[in-house]
Amino acid sequence: MISPPPAPAWNRKHLLGLEDLSREEIVGILDTAESFSEVSRRSRKKVPALQGRVVFNLFFENSTRTRTSFSLSAKRLSADVQDFSASVSSLTKGETFIDTAKNIEAMGADVLVIRHPTPGAPHLLSNHVGASIINAGDGAHEHPTQGLLDLLTIRRAKGTIEGLTVGLIGDIGHSRVARSNIWGLLKLGAKVILCGPPTLVPRGFERLGCEVAHHLDEVLPRCDVVNALRIQIERQQRGLFPSLGEYSHFYGLTQDRLNKARPDLLVLAPGPINRGVELTPEVADGPRSAILDQVTNGLAVRMAVLYLVSGKGDAPST
Ligand code: ASP
């Protein structure tokens, strides 16, 4: 038996981003994830919650953690799961993205988990298919399940999110992880500091209530949590900083920098991490790093999201 989650404030069919969600909806997902995380600790890691449902992973961009995590989460809920890779599909023969999705839906898909390089692609699809859509990352726009697993990791480590100061470090401009973190953290009452080179930190975020800063050594001692974002080389049209070496000199998390931070600073990174660029191996593998907890919590969050968008706002009958 898993203990029933508190009735979540959730009646949505899709999860497209955290910008649209209320604080109550976000807390509802996190609480549901807490009750599912117990399943992952069992020797038999499976519940029948989505038995008979069909989940398709449609990935039009590379992924290691997110795709595997969604597949495993759906399997833990006893759904049938099918992976779809754009590179080996009929898209290479000219089929449109929407036609591909409609064909997949015609095979009985109940939930489509979609990653796409174009911002808004999951939103577009939600207007053309009847299945539930989960955004697994759309360009530089949002990556809501990453934002949620970051929130869950922080809440578990710190007991709360309200009142914490969280620094998002690095390539804010190209990062969907940053956007989902910003929406989620602000709604849950954290202070958010965006810190990186001026070319990578758009000023518009100040209007949302974030602080924008450019000197990590000034920002770090004020933070309870830092999230070291990956430099999104693949999304940059032109060189926005001189070199990776120079970037890590000013913005890399090193042991030396951590020695000047709060002793209970929590270090997050969405992965894939570039050791020696965003953070040193010492920091990535050190006692303040929650990087692997984030991966574990990702399973619970994705189980919760799959469960909720499938109309299972009631207590799981397991
Ligand atoms: N895996 C995350 C994403 O898909 C972070 C990254 O790639 O830097 O956005």
Side-chain angles (χ1 to χ4, degrees):
M1 290 286 284
I2 66 174
S3 48
W10 186 268
N11 58 9
R12 290 176 190 262
K13 186 171 173 190
H14 311 294
L15 176 67
L16 301 175
L18 297 193
E19 180 177 1
D20 308 331
L21 301 191
S22 66
R23 175 196 167 88
E24 290 67 33
E25 286 173 310
I26 294 174
V27 171
I29 299 173
L30 300 183
D31 291 345
T32 307
E34 282 294 358
S35 56
F36 278 123
S37 67
E38 191 268 320
V39 176
S40 300
R41 293 194 292 271
R42 296 180 187 176
S43 56
R44 193 176 178 280
K45 300 176 176 55
K46 219 170 175 102
V47 290
L50 292 192
Q51 206 157 38
R53 302 288 178 108
V54 179
V55 176
F56 259 88
N57 282 327
L58 271 75
F59 277 62
F60 296 86
E61 210 187 60
N62 293 342
S63 165
T64 312
R65 270 156 299 274
T66 307
R67 186 211 296 250
T68 322
S69 179
F70 267 112
S71 290
L72 202 52
S73 304
K75 286 177 189 160
R76 286 192 179 172
L77 296 170
S78 304
D80 294 330
V81 192
Q82 187 63 46
D83 279 344
F84 166 92
S85 284
S87 57
V88 291
S89 75
S90 286
L91 283 162
T92 58
K93 300 181 190 168
E95 187 171 69
T96 69
F97 159 62
I98 290 173
D99 281 336
T100 302
K102 282 187 168 167
N103 277 270
I104 284 171
E105 190 181 30
M107 291 180 220
D110 298 295
V111 181
L112 302 180
V113 177
I114 170 163
R115 167 166 291 189
H116 202 281
T118 308
H123 307 66
L124 177 71
L125 212 54
S126 70
N127 294 325
H128 286 88
V129 298
S132 290
I133 306 293
I134 300 176
N135 180 359
D138 60 328
H141 177 229
E142 277 226 42
H143 191 350
T145 56
Q146 177 73 48
L148 289 163
L149 73 88
D150 291 342
L151 293 173
L152 186 64
T153 305
I154 297 171
R155 196 175 77 165
R156 285 187 145 192
K158 300 286 186 189
T160 182
I161 290 172
E162 179 130 34
L164 294 179
T165 298
V166 181
L168 305 180
I169 314 297
D171 189 357
I172 316 293
H174 300 93
S175 173
R176 54 194 175 206
V177 176
R179 282 170 181 75
S180 290
N181 264 258
I182 289 167
W183 293 118
L185 288 163
L186 290 177
K187 284 174 199 229
L188 268 55
K191 174 175 175 56
V192 179
I193 307 179
L194 309 176
C195 182
T199 46
L200 296 180
V201 186
R203 295 198 76 82
F205 284 115
E206 278 169 334
R207 286 198 297 272
L208 300 177
C210 299
E211 180 181 329
V212 170
H214 304 299
H215 297 288
L216 181 59
D217 292 318
E218 284 168 24
V219 163
L220 206 53
R222 295 161 53 205
C223 291
D224 300 291
V225 181
V226 279
N227 198 338
L229 304 170
R230 184 177 65 86
I231 295 287
Q232 307 276 301
I233 299 284
E234 73 277 24
R235 294 188 213 288
Q236 295 185 12
Q237 311 296 325
R238 59 197 163 86
L240 293 173
F241 53 91
S243 70
L244 286 179
E246 182 155 335
Y247 173 82
S248 57
H249 176 71
F250 287 108
Y251 296 102
L253 293 178
T254 60
Q255 193 53 50
D256 202 35
R257 287 203 158 104
L258 256 55
N259 291 342
K260 294 172 204 136
R262 293 185 182 167
D264 60 349
L265 177 77
L266 187 72
V267 175
L268 307 181
I273 58 169
N274 293 310
R275 288 173 179 265
V277 179
E278 298 97 13
L279 66 185
T280 60
E282 221 181 347
V283 173
D285 304 328
R288 304 193 209 185
S289 166
I291 294 174
L292 295 179
D293 297 332
Q294 290 174 269
V295 178
T296 305
N297 292 335
L299 281 171
V301 157
R302 291 182 176 117
M303 286 172 82
V305 169
L306 285 165
Y307 179 80
L308 291 171
V309 299
S310 301
K312 299 280 191 168
D314 50 340
S317 53
T318 51

